[in-house]
Every structure is written in C-alpha cells, then in structure tokens.
CSV table of all heavy atoms in Angstrom, one decimal:
chain,number,residue,atom,x,y,z
A,1192,ARG,N,0.8,-1.2,0.0
A,1192,ARG,CA,0.0,0.0,0.0
A,1192,ARG,C,0.9,1.2,0.0
A,1192,ARG,O,0.6,2.2,-0.7
A,1192,ARG,CB,-0.9,0.0,1.2
A,1192,ARG,CG,-2.0,1.1,1.1
A,1192,ARG,CD,-2.9,1.1,2.4
A,1192,ARG,NE,-3.5,-0.2,2.6
A,1192,ARG,CZ,-3.2,-1.0,3.6
A,1192,ARG,NH1,-2.3,-0.7,4.5
A,1192,ARG,NH2,-3.9,-2.2,3.8
A,1193,SER,N,1.9,1.2,0.8
A,1193,SER,CA,2.8,2.4,0.9
A,1193,SER,C,3.5,2.6,-0.5
A,1193,SER,O,3.7,3.7,-0.9
A,1193,SER,CB,3.9,2.2,2.0
A,1193,SER,OG,3.2,2.1,3.2
A,1194,ILE,N,3.9,1.5,-1.1
A,1194,ILE,CA,4.6,1.6,-2.4
A,1194,ILE,C,3.6,2.2,-3.5
A,1194,ILE,O,4.0,3.1,-4.3
A,1194,ILE,CB,5.1,0.3,-2.9
A,1194,ILE,CG1,6.3,-0.2,-2.0
A,1194,ILE,CG2,5.6,0.3,-4.4
A,1194,ILE,CD1,6.8,-1.6,-2.3
A,1195,LEU,N,2.4,1.8,-3.4
A,1195,LEU,CA,1.4,2.3,-4.4
A,1195,LEU,C,1.2,3.8,-4.1
A,1195,LEU,O,1.0,4.6,-5.0
A,1195,LEU,CB,0.0,1.6,-4.2
A,1195,LEU,CG,0.0,0.1,-4.7
A,1195,LEU,CD1,-1.3,-0.5,-4.4
A,1195,LEU,CD2,0.3,0.1,-6.2
A,1196,ILE,N,1.1,4.2,-2.8
A,1196,ILE,CA,1.0,5.6,-2.5
A,1196,ILE,C,2.2,6.4,-3.0
A,1196,ILE,O,2.1,7.5,-3.5
A,1196,ILE,CB,0.8,5.8,-0.9
A,1196,ILE,CG1,-0.5,5.2,-0.5
A,1196,ILE,CG2,0.9,7.2,-0.6
A,1196,ILE,CD1,-0.7,5.1,1.0
A,1197,LEU,N,3.4,5.8,-2.8
A,1197,LEU,CA,4.6,6.4,-3.3
A,1197,LEU,C,4.5,6.7,-4.8
A,1197,LEU,O,5.0,7.8,-5.3
A,1197,LEU,CB,5.8,5.6,-2.9
A,1197,LEU,CG,7.2,6.1,-3.3
A,1197,LEU,CD1,7.4,7.5,-2.7
A,1197,LEU,CD2,8.3,5.1,-3.0
A,1198,VAL,N,4.1,5.7,-5.6
A,1198,VAL,CA,3.9,5.8,-7.0
A,1198,VAL,C,3.0,7.0,-7.4
A,1198,VAL,O,3.2,7.8,-8.3
A,1198,VAL,CB,3.5,4.5,-7.6
A,1198,VAL,CG1,3.1,4.7,-9.1
A,1198,VAL,CG2,4.5,3.4,-7.5
A,1199,VAL,N,1.8,7.0,-6.7
A,1199,VAL,CA,0.9,8.1,-6.9
A,1199,VAL,C,1.5,9.4,-6.6
A,1199,VAL,O,1.3,10.4,-7.4
A,1199,VAL,CB,-0.4,7.8,-6.1
A,1199,VAL,CG1,-1.4,9.0,-6.2
A,1199,VAL,CG2,-1.1,6.6,-6.5
A,1200,LEU,N,2.2,9.5,-5.5
A,1200,LEU,CA,2.8,10.8,-5.2
A,1200,LEU,C,3.9,11.2,-6.2
A,1200,LEU,O,4.0,12.4,-6.6
A,1200,LEU,CB,3.5,10.7,-3.8
A,1200,LEU,CG,2.5,10.6,-2.6
A,1200,LEU,CD1,3.3,10.3,-1.3
A,1200,LEU,CD2,1.7,11.8,-2.4
A,1201,LEU,N,4.6,10.2,-6.8
A,1201,LEU,CA,5.6,10.5,-7.8
A,1201,LEU,C,4.9,11.0,-9.1
A,1201,LEU,O,5.4,11.9,-9.8
A,1201,LEU,CB,6.4,9.3,-8.1
A,1201,LEU,CG,7.5,9.0,-7.1
A,1201,LEU,CD1,8.2,7.6,-7.5
A,1201,LEU,CD2,8.6,10.1,-7.0
A,1202,LEU,N,3.7,10.4,-9.4
A,1202,LEU,CA,2.9,10.9,-10.5
A,1202,LEU,C,2.5,12.3,-10.4
A,1202,LEU,O,2.5,13.1,-11.3
A,1202,LEU,CB,1.8,10.0,-10.8
A,1202,LEU,CG,2.1,8.5,-11.3
A,1202,LEU,CD1,0.8,7.7,-11.3
A,1202,LEU,CD2,2.7,8.6,-12.6
A,1203,PHE,N,2.0,12.7,-9.1
A,1203,PHE,CA,1.7,14.1,-8.9
A,1203,PHE,C,2.9,15.0,-9.0
A,1203,PHE,O,2.8,16.1,-9.4
A,1203,PHE,CB,1.0,14.1,-7.5
A,1203,PHE,CG,-0.5,13.9,-7.6
A,1203,PHE,CD1,-1.1,12.7,-7.2
A,1203,PHE,CD2,-1.4,15.0,-8.0
A,1203,PHE,CE1,-2.4,12.5,-7.2
A,1203,PHE,CE2,-2.7,14.8,-8.0
A,1203,PHE,CZ,-3.3,13.6,-7.6
A,1204,SER,N,4.0,14.5,-8.5
A,1204,SER,CA,5.2,15.3,-8.6
A,1204,SER,C,5.6,15.6,-10.0
A,1204,SER,O,5.9,16.7,-10.4
A,1204,SER,CB,6.4,14.6,-7.9
A,1204,SER,OG,7.6,15.4,-8.0
A,1205,ALA,N,5.5,14.6,-10.9
A,1205,ALA,CA,5.7,14.8,-12.3
A,1205,ALA,C,4.7,15.7,-12.9
A,1205,ALA,O,5.0,16.5,-13.8
A,1205,ALA,CB,5.7,13.4,-13.0
A,1206,PHE,N,3.4,15.6,-12.5
A,1206,PHE,CA,2.4,16.5,-13.0
A,1206,PHE,C,2.7,17.9,-12.7
A,1206,PHE,O,2.6,18.8,-13.5
A,1206,PHE,CB,1.0,16.1,-12.3
A,1206,PHE,CG,-0.1,17.1,-12.6
A,1206,PHE,CD1,-0.7,17.1,-13.8
A,1206,PHE,CD2,-0.4,17.9,-11.5
A,1206,PHE,CE1,-1.8,18.1,-14.0
A,1206,PHE,CE2,-1.5,18.9,-11.7
A,1206,PHE,CZ,-2.1,18.9,-12.9
A,1207,PHE,N,3.0,18.2,-11.4
A,1207,PHE,CA,3.3,19.6,-11.0
A,1207,PHE,C,4.6,20.2,-11.7
A,1207,PHE,O,4.6,21.3,-12.2
A,1207,PHE,CB,3.4,19.7,-9.5
A,1207,PHE,CG,2.2,19.6,-8.7
A,1207,PHE,CD1,2.0,18.6,-7.8
A,1207,PHE,CD2,1.1,20.4,-9.0
A,1207,PHE,CE1,0.8,18.4,-7.1
A,1207,PHE,CE2,-0.1,20.3,-8.3
A,1207,PHE,CZ,-0.2,19.3,-7.3
A,1208,SER,N,5.6,19.3,-11.8
A,1208,SER,CA,6.8,19.8,-12.5
A,1208,SER,C,6.6,20.1,-14.0
A,1208,SER,O,7.1,21.1,-14.5
A,1208,SER,CB,7.9,18.7,-12.3
A,1208,SER,OG,8.3,18.5,-11.0
A,1209,SER,N,5.9,19.2,-14.6
A,1209,SER,CA,5.6,19.5,-16.1
A,1209,SER,C,4.7,20.7,-16.3
A,1209,SER,O,4.9,21.5,-17.2
A,1209,SER,CB,4.9,18.2,-16.7
A,1209,SER,OG,3.7,17.9,-16.0
A,1210,CYS,N,3.7,20.9,-15.4
A,1210,CYS,CA,2.9,22.1,-15.4
A,1210,CYS,C,3.7,23.4,-15.3
A,1210,CYS,O,3.5,24.3,-16.0
A,1210,CYS,CB,1.8,22.0,-14.4
A,1210,CYS,SG,0.5,20.8,-14.7
A,1211,GLU,N,4.6,23.3,-14.3
A,1211,GLU,CA,5.4,24.5,-14.0
A,1211,GLU,C,6.3,24.9,-15.3
A,1211,GLU,O,6.3,26.0,-15.7
A,1211,GLU,CB,6.3,24.3,-12.9
A,1211,GLU,CG,7.2,25.5,-12.5
A,1211,GLU,CD,8.2,25.2,-11.4
A,1211,GLU,OE1,8.3,24.0,-11.0
A,1211,GLU,OE2,8.9,26.1,-10.9
A,1212,THR,N,6.9,23.9,-15.9
A,1212,THR,CA,7.8,24.1,-17.0
A,1212,THR,C,6.9,24.6,-18.2
A,1212,THR,O,7.3,25.5,-18.9
A,1212,THR,CB,8.6,22.9,-17.4
A,1212,THR,OG1,9.4,22.5,-16.2
A,1212,THR,CG2,9.4,23.1,-18.6
A,1213,ALA,N,5.8,23.9,-18.5
A,1213,ALA,CA,5.0,24.3,-19.6
A,1213,ALA,C,4.4,25.7,-19.5
A,1213,ALA,O,4.4,26.4,-20.5
A,1213,ALA,CB,3.8,23.2,-19.7
A,1214,ILE,N,4.0,26.1,-18.3
A,1214,ILE,CA,3.3,27.4,-18.2
A,1214,ILE,C,4.4,28.5,-18.3
A,1214,ILE,O,4.1,29.5,-18.9
A,1214,ILE,CB,2.6,27.5,-16.8
A,1214,ILE,CG1,1.4,26.5,-16.8
A,1214,ILE,CG2,2.2,28.9,-16.5
A,1214,ILE,CD1,0.7,26.4,-15.5
A,1215,THR,N,5.6,28.3,-17.7
A,1215,THR,CA,6.6,29.3,-17.7
A,1215,THR,C,7.2,29.4,-19.1
A,1215,THR,O,7.8,30.5,-19.4
A,1215,THR,CB,7.7,29.0,-16.7
A,1215,THR,OG1,8.2,27.7,-16.8
A,1215,THR,CG2,7.1,29.2,-15.2
A,1216,SER,N,7.2,28.4,-19.9
A,1216,SER,CA,7.8,28.4,-21.2
A,1216,SER,C,6.9,28.9,-22.3
A,1216,SER,O,7.4,29.3,-23.4
A,1216,SER,CB,8.4,27.1,-21.6
A,1216,SER,OG,7.4,26.1,-21.7
A,1217,ILE,N,5.6,28.8,-22.1
A,1217,ILE,CA,4.6,29.2,-23.1
A,1217,ILE,C,4.3,30.7,-23.0
A,1217,ILE,O,4.4,31.3,-21.9
A,1217,ILE,CB,3.4,28.3,-22.9
A,1217,ILE,CG1,2.6,28.3,-24.3
A,1217,ILE,CG2,2.5,28.9,-21.8
A,1217,ILE,CD1,1.5,27.2,-24.3
A,1218,GLY,N,4.0,31.3,-24.1
A,1218,GLY,CA,3.7,32.7,-24.1
A,1218,GLY,C,2.2,33.0,-24.2
A,1218,GLY,O,1.4,32.1,-24.4
A,1219,ARG,N,1.9,34.3,-24.0
A,1219,ARG,CA,0.4,34.7,-24.1
A,1219,ARG,C,-0.2,34.3,-25.4
A,1219,ARG,O,-1.3,33.9,-25.5
A,1219,ARG,CB,0.3,36.2,-23.8
A,1219,ARG,CG,-1.1,36.7,-23.7
A,1219,ARG,CD,-1.1,38.2,-23.6
A,1219,ARG,NE,-2.5,38.7,-23.6
A,1219,ARG,CZ,-3.2,38.9,-22.5
A,1219,ARG,NH1,-2.6,38.7,-21.3
A,1219,ARG,NH2,-4.4,39.4,-22.5
A,1220,GLY,N,0.6,34.5,-26.5
A,1220,GLY,CA,0.1,34.2,-27.8
A,1220,GLY,C,-0.3,32.8,-28.0
A,1220,GLY,O,-1.3,32.5,-28.5
A,1221,LYS,N,0.6,31.9,-27.5
A,1221,LYS,CA,0.3,30.5,-27.6
A,1221,LYS,C,-1.0,30.1,-26.7
A,1221,LYS,O,-1.7,29.2,-27.1
A,1221,LYS,CB,1.5,29.6,-27.2
A,1221,LYS,CG,2.5,29.5,-28.2
A,1221,LYS,CD,3.5,28.4,-27.9
A,1221,LYS,CE,4.5,28.2,-29.0
A,1221,LYS,NZ,5.5,27.1,-28.8
A,1222,LEU,N,-1.1,30.7,-25.5
A,1222,LEU,CA,-2.2,30.4,-24.7
A,1222,LEU,C,-3.5,30.8,-25.4
A,1222,LEU,O,-4.5,30.1,-25.4
A,1222,LEU,CB,-2.1,31.2,-23.4
A,1222,LEU,CG,-1.1,30.7,-22.4
A,1222,LEU,CD1,-1.0,31.6,-21.2
A,1222,LEU,CD2,-1.5,29.3,-21.9
A,1223,LEU,N,-3.5,32.0,-26.1
A,1223,LEU,CA,-4.7,32.4,-26.8
A,1223,LEU,C,-4.9,31.5,-28.0
A,1223,LEU,O,-6.1,31.2,-28.4
A,1223,LEU,CB,-4.5,33.9,-27.3
A,1223,LEU,CG,-4.4,34.9,-26.2
A,1223,LEU,CD1,-4.1,36.3,-26.8
A,1223,LEU,CD2,-5.7,35.0,-25.4
A,1224,ALA,N,-3.9,31.0,-28.6
A,1224,ALA,CA,-4.0,30.0,-29.7
A,1224,ALA,C,-4.7,28.7,-29.2
A,1224,ALA,O,-5.5,28.2,-29.9
A,1224,ALA,CB,-2.7,29.8,-30.4
A,1225,ILE,N,-4.2,28.2,-28.1
A,1225,ILE,CA,-4.8,27.1,-27.5
A,1225,ILE,C,-6.3,27.3,-27.2
A,1225,ILE,O,-7.2,26.4,-27.4
A,1225,ILE,CB,-4.1,26.7,-26.2
A,1225,ILE,CG1,-2.7,26.2,-26.5
A,1225,ILE,CG2,-4.8,25.5,-25.5
A,1225,ILE,CD1,-1.8,26.0,-25.3
A,1226,GLN,N,-6.6,28.5,-26.7
A,1226,GLN,CA,-8.0,28.8,-26.4
A,1226,GLN,C,-8.9,28.8,-27.7
A,1226,GLN,O,-10.0,28.3,-27.6
A,1226,GLN,CB,-8.0,30.2,-25.8
A,1226,GLN,CG,-9.4,30.6,-25.1
A,1226,GLN,CD,-9.3,31.9,-24.5
A,1226,GLN,OE1,-9.0,32.9,-25.1
A,1226,GLN,NE2,-9.6,32.0,-23.2
A,1227,GLU,N,-8.3,29.3,-28.8
A,1227,GLU,CA,-9.1,29.2,-30.1
A,1227,GLU,C,-9.3,27.8,-30.6
A,1227,GLU,O,-10.3,27.5,-31.1
A,1227,GLU,CB,-8.4,30.1,-31.1
A,1227,GLU,CG,-8.4,31.6,-30.8
A,1227,GLU,CD,-7.8,32.4,-31.9
A,1227,GLU,OE1,-7.3,31.8,-32.9
A,1227,GLU,OE2,-7.7,33.7,-31.8
A,1228,LYS,N,-8.2,27.0,-30.5
A,1228,LYS,CA,-8.3,25.6,-31.0
A,1228,LYS,C,-9.2,24.8,-30.1
A,1228,LYS,O,-9.8,23.8,-30.6
A,1228,LYS,CB,-6.9,25.0,-31.0
A,1228,LYS,CG,-6.0,25.6,-32.1
A,1228,LYS,CD,-4.7,25.0,-32.1
A,1228,LYS,CE,-3.7,25.6,-33.1
A,1228,LYS,NZ,-2.4,25.0,-33.1
A,1229,ASN,N,-9.3,25.0,-28.8
A,1229,ASN,CA,-10.0,24.2,-27.8
A,1229,ASN,C,-10.9,25.1,-27.0
A,1229,ASN,O,-10.6,25.5,-25.9
A,1229,ASN,CB,-9.1,23.4,-26.9
A,1229,ASN,CG,-9.8,22.3,-26.2
A,1229,ASN,OD1,-11.0,22.2,-26.2
A,1229,ASN,ND2,-9.0,21.5,-25.6
A,1230,PRO,N,-12.1,25.5,-27.5
A,1230,PRO,CA,-13.0,26.4,-26.8
A,1230,PRO,C,-13.4,25.8,-25.4
A,1230,PRO,O,-13.8,26.6,-24.5
A,1230,PRO,CB,-14.2,26.5,-27.7
A,1230,PRO,CG,-13.7,26.1,-29.0
A,1230,PRO,CD,-12.6,25.1,-28.8
A,1231,LYS,N,-13.4,24.5,-25.2
A,1231,LYS,CA,-13.7,23.9,-23.9
A,1231,LYS,C,-12.8,24.3,-22.8
A,1231,LYS,O,-13.1,24.3,-21.6
A,1231,LYS,CB,-13.7,22.4,-24.0
A,1231,LYS,CG,-14.8,21.8,-25.0
A,1231,LYS,CD,-14.8,20.3,-25.0
A,1231,LYS,CE,-15.8,19.7,-25.9
A,1231,LYS,NZ,-15.8,18.3,-26.0
A,1232,ARG,N,-11.6,24.7,-23.2
A,1232,ARG,CA,-10.6,25.2,-22.2
A,1232,ARG,C,-10.6,26.7,-22.0
A,1232,ARG,O,-9.6,27.2,-21.4
A,1232,ARG,CB,-9.2,24.7,-22.6
A,1232,ARG,CG,-9.0,23.2,-22.7
A,1232,ARG,CD,-9.0,22.6,-21.3
A,1232,ARG,NE,-8.7,21.2,-21.3
A,1232,ARG,CZ,-9.6,20.3,-21.2
A,1232,ARG,NH1,-10.9,20.6,-21.0
A,1232,ARG,NH2,-9.3,19.0,-21.2
A,1233,ARG,N,-11.6,27.4,-22.6
A,1233,ARG,CA,-11.6,28.9,-22.5
A,1233,ARG,C,-11.5,29.4,-21.1
A,1233,ARG,O,-10.7,30.3,-20.8
A,1233,ARG,CB,-12.8,29.4,-23.2
A,1233,ARG,CG,-12.9,30.9,-23.3
A,1233,ARG,CD,-14.1,31.4,-24.1
A,1233,ARG,NE,-13.9,31.0,-25.5
A,1233,ARG,CZ,-13.2,31.6,-26.4
A,1233,ARG,NH1,-12.6,32.8,-26.1
A,1233,ARG,NH2,-13.1,31.2,-27.6
A,1234,LYS,N,-12.3,28.9,-20.2
A,1234,LYS,CA,-12.4,29.4,-18.8
A,1234,LYS,C,-11.0,29.1,-18.1
A,1234,LYS,O,-10.5,30.0,-17.4
A,1234,LYS,CB,-13.5,28.7,-18.0
A,1234,LYS,CG,-14.9,29.2,-18.5
A,1234,LYS,CD,-16.0,28.6,-17.6
A,1234,LYS,CE,-17.4,29.1,-18.0
A,1234,LYS,NZ,-18.4,28.5,-17.1
A,1235,GLY,N,-10.5,27.9,-18.4
A,1235,GLY,CA,-9.2,27.6,-17.8
A,1235,GLY,C,-8.1,28.5,-18.2
A,1235,GLY,O,-7.2,29.0,-17.5
A,1236,ILE,N,-8.0,28.8,-19.6
A,1236,ILE,CA,-7.0,29.6,-20.1
A,1236,ILE,C,-7.2,31.1,-19.6
A,1236,ILE,O,-6.2,31.8,-19.3
A,1236,ILE,CB,-7.1,29.6,-21.7
A,1236,ILE,CG1,-6.8,28.2,-22.2
A,1236,ILE,CG2,-6.1,30.7,-22.2
A,1236,ILE,CD1,-5.4,27.7,-21.9
C-alpha cells in the first residue's frame, strides 16, 4: 500500500513539475491560440 501511495505521489510530482515548465515556457500568444483551438478550455485559459 505504501509503495502504491509512493507511485501516486511521484505521478503528482511529475504532474506539477511538467505544469510549471509548460506554463513558464509558453507565451500569451500560444495560450490564446490554445483557447481558439479548444473552446472547452476557454475558462481555464
């Protein structure tokens, strides 16, 4: 059970690290482009 929890925690760590890098490397123009391509993500963007 502890090992499974550890794996889940590592997945969340990978999630947060990838989000940080993606957000800081992407520009406002690309964010607006994503918004146009995917209207379902409009509120999130």
Side-chain angles (χ1 to χ4, degrees):
R1192 191 182 303 111
S1193 298
I1194 293 174
L1195 292 175
I1196 294 173
L1197 181 60
V1198 172
V1199 173
L1200 291 173
L1201 286 174
L1202 291 175
F1203 271 103
S1204 179
F1206 168 79
F1207 287 121
S1208 296
S1209 61
C1210 286
E1211 180 185 8
T1212 301
I1214 291 174
T1215 54
S1216 63
I1217 203 168
R1219 182 186 180 92
K1221 281 193 174 183
L1222 287 174
L1223 295 174
I1225 295 173
Q1226 193 178 56
E1227 290 183 0
K1228 293 180 181 179
N1229 195 351
K1231 294 181 179 180
R1232 297 286 185 261
R1233 180 174 298 276
K1234 290 184 178 180
I1236 298 296

